[in-house]
Amino acid sequence: MRSVRARAALGATVVVALALGVAGLAVLLVLRANLTDQAGLQAEVVAREVAGQLALDVPYDKLETGDEEEHPVQVTDEDGRVVAVSEDLEAISGTGTDRVTPQPRPAPSATGDDEDDDRDDDRDDDRDDDPGRGEVSTDEPDFSNGTATVDGDRADYRFASVEATDSAGRTLTVHAGAPLAAEQRAVDSVRAAMLAGLPVVLLVAAAVTWLVTRRALRPVEGIRREMAAITASEDLGRRVPEPDSRDEIARLARTTNETLTALEASVDRQRRFVADASHELRSPIASLRTQLEVAAAHPELLDLPGAVADTVRLQALAADLLLLARLDAGEGPGRTRLDLGALIREEVSQRVGDRIPVTVSVPEPGGLEVTGSRGQLARVAGNLLDNAERHADRSVTVGVHRERGGVVLAVTDDGPGVPAAERERVFERFVRLDGARTRDDGGAGLGLAIARDVATRHHGRLTVTDAPRGGARFELWLPGAEADRP
């Protein structure tokens, strides 16, 4: 079953069936219990009426038991002997004895004649002193279920057992029954109605769930169709429809469109990167090829310094492209603790042949530690210094200091500066600004882009502002090494 609608409808139907089954069972049990209690109450009323007659010494054969078919009665003494039954009672069960024939009292034994006579005399004396002393027990009667056959008809009954004491002090137990046929008919009727209505309710529940789920999933189907069309056409500019609701499906559509936007931007950036890289590689390769072809035909015309310069430029460009590819692939920075001031002093000391000497303002080692990749941070420092050398007029200054819980590397030149409107675009790949900053000695416009990416992956930031004395000031802020301590 691959359809969500079908699974939802089936699940809802099963849940409703279980709920109705449990509820129906509870209703039947409560109904049966109530009807059984009513039958027991009727039986108790009859039993107490007969017990009241026994307490008044009504002879057993003169007892009024009401409708014998509706309320069969059986009276037993303290020894379990049946002393009276209602008329036409042919069989009974559930009262403790199944006898329905009254039994006479046994004749007194020879050895106990005097004792029996004395007991009879005492009872006669008591009866003379206090006639009608019999009483009916006020205790809660005992209830039981059983059967009785009255005038050939056998049925189920609820029996109530009530004790009574006659004037002679004999304890008698009256078992009176009330029919359970009405309870059985009511329970059967309710059960039949439930069984008849259950399929209808389940069908309605399944249909409603199917329709509601279909309506709820209709936007999902629209999203699926649009995504399939986007996949087939490879047009990342298309977007899935967003429903007006504020539910999960609307959020799914918005998230899908945001993903498509990010994917489109990523693909566009990748395409521009490939196109720009191809363009940048074409020039040095073409120049190098031309020089080699001329040298092959005329060895005396070989421009060896130019070939070396083109090769170096090609090598640097390939290194930049390789580093960008690793960064785009998600290569994270290392976790090495290093002193940024010492790194800058070392990087500046290795620069030879700079057009303008670099002024270093770095405090003594200590207190300038950061965590990251030594190679990548050295690459950032080198790119910032190369950029300053290309655009400075007379001075380039580099400094390192602590600021806002981190370490700041600042590179300042006295060139034309970066216009405020271009201060973010300058960090884009293959971007070289117009005007004074078009003067380039071979840069491909990747140095600042690499520096920004490395700073971001080190949880830092790289910004450009105006220098205090004119020119551009690039600041790299990195979190201090103590911020990484657990």
Side-chain angles (χ1 to χ4, degrees), residues 417-435:
V418 180
E422 304 289 347
R423 288 178 182 174
E424 282 302 316
R425 199 169 75 89
V426 75
F427 293 107
E428 296 179 5
R429 299 176 182 182
F430 300 105
V431 170
R432 285 172 290 190
L433 300 182
D434 296 331

Side-chain angles (χ1 to χ4, degrees), residues 393-459:
D393 289 334
R394 291 183 299 274
S395 67
V396 174
T397 303
V398 58
V400 182
H401 62 275
R402 295 190 60 82
E403 181 179 318
R404 300 189 302 275
V407 180
V408 175
L409 166 64
V411 179
T412 305
D413 64 68
D414 60 350
V418 180
E422 304 289 347
R423 288 178 182 174
E424 282 302 316
R425 199 169 75 89
V426 75
F427 293 107
E428 296 179 5
R429 299 176 182 182
F430 300 105
V431 170
R432 285 172 290 190
L433 300 182
D434 296 331
R437 289 194 173 264
T438 57
R439 184 178 59 207
D440 198 328
D441 59 354
L446 293 177
L448 295 180
I450 292 175
R452 170 65 71 86
D453 285 351
V454 172
T456 301
R457 281 165 174 75
H458 280 75
H459 308 290

Side-chain angles (χ1 to χ4, degrees), residues 273-285:
F273 176 77
V274 172
D276 293 338
S278 301
H279 176 74
E280 293 296 333
L281 287 172
R282 187 181 300 115
S283 296
I285 291 177

Side-chain angles (χ1 to χ4, degrees), residues 173-479:
T173 303
V174 180
H175 305 283
L180 294 175
E183 175 261 344
Q184 293 173 349
R185 287 193 300 270
V187 172
D188 292 341
S189 299
V190 173
R191 183 190 299 113
M194 288 182 175
L195 293 178
L198 181 62
V200 178
V201 174
L202 295 181
L203 182 60
V204 171
V208 170
T209 305
W210 177 277
L211 294 176
V212 171
T213 307
R214 179 182 180 183
R215 181 180 180 84
L217 294 180
R218 188 175 300 162
V220 176
E221 179 61 22
I223 294 174
R224 187 202 65 80
R225 286 196 300 267
E226 187 63 24
M227 289 297 294
I230 293 173
T231 302
S233 64
E234 298 184 358
D235 181 9
L236 296 178
R238 301 174 62 172
R239 296 295 180 265
V240 300
E242 295 186 13
D244 296 333
S245 60
R246 298 182 180 179
D247 55 10
E248 294 83 354
I249 303 226
R251 292 196 293 271
L252 171 64
R254 286 192 292 271
T255 303
T256 301
N257 285 335
E258 291 171 359
T259 302
L260 289 173
T261 300
L263 181 60
E264 181 183 18
S266 176
V267 171
D268 289 343
R269 186 169 57 251
Q270 188 70 21
R271 288 173 178 171
R272 290 197 304 270
F273 176 77
V274 172
D276 293 338
S278 301
H279 176 74
E280 293 296 333
L281 287 172
R282 187 181 300 115
S283 296
I285 291 177
S287 176
L288 184 59
R289 177 181 177 181
T290 300
Q291 295 181 50
L292 293 177
E293 288 177 348
V294 171
H298 306 282
E300 70 280 2
L301 299 179
L302 174 61
D303 183 9
L304 187 57
V308 172
D310 287 340
T311 303
V312 171
R313 180 184 176 190
L314 185 61
Q315 182 182 13
L317 181 57
D320 288 344
L321 293 176
L322 180 60
L323 177 57
L324 283 174
R326 292 203 307 267
L327 294 176
D328 288 341
E331 178 180 305
R335 305 298 301 170
T336 305
R337 290 172 62 94
L338 53 96
D339 189 294
L340 189 59
L343 177 65
I344 295 304
R345 282 193 296 269
E346 179 182 350
E347 184 68 19
V348 173
S349 65
Q350 294 178 355
R351 298 178 66 87
V352 294
D354 281 345
R355 183 173 60 90
I356 299 174
V358 178
T359 302
V360 180
S361 176
V362 178
E364 293 299 323
L368 301 175
E369 290 187 339
V370 296
T371 302
S373 169
R374 183 180 184 86
Q376 291 185 9
L377 293 178
R379 185 65 173 275
V380 171
N383 288 354
L384 293 179
L385 289 172
D386 290 341
N387 180 75
E389 286 285 340
R390 282 195 295 270
H391 303 289
D393 289 334
R394 291 183 299 274
S395 67
V396 174
T397 303
V398 58
V400 182
H401 62 275
R402 295 190 60 82
E403 181 179 318
R404 300 189 302 275
V407 180
V408 175
L409 166 64
V411 179
T412 305
D413 64 68
D414 60 350
V418 180
E422 304 289 347
R423 288 178 182 174
E424 282 302 316
R425 199 169 75 89
V426 75
F427 293 107
E428 296 179 5
R429 299 176 182 182
F430 300 105
V431 170
R432 285 172 290 190
L433 300 182
D434 296 331
R437 289 194 173 264
T438 57
R439 184 178 59 207
D440 198 328
D441 59 354
L446 293 177
L448 295 180
I450 292 175
R452 170 65 71 86
D453 285 351
V454 172
T456 301
R457 281 165 174 75
H458 280 75
H459 308 290
R461 55 183 177 270
L462 178 61
T463 58
V464 57
T465 59
D466 290 331
R469 298 181 181 178
R473 178 182 176 86
F474 287 83
E475 286 190 354
L476 169 67
W477 181 90
L478 296 173

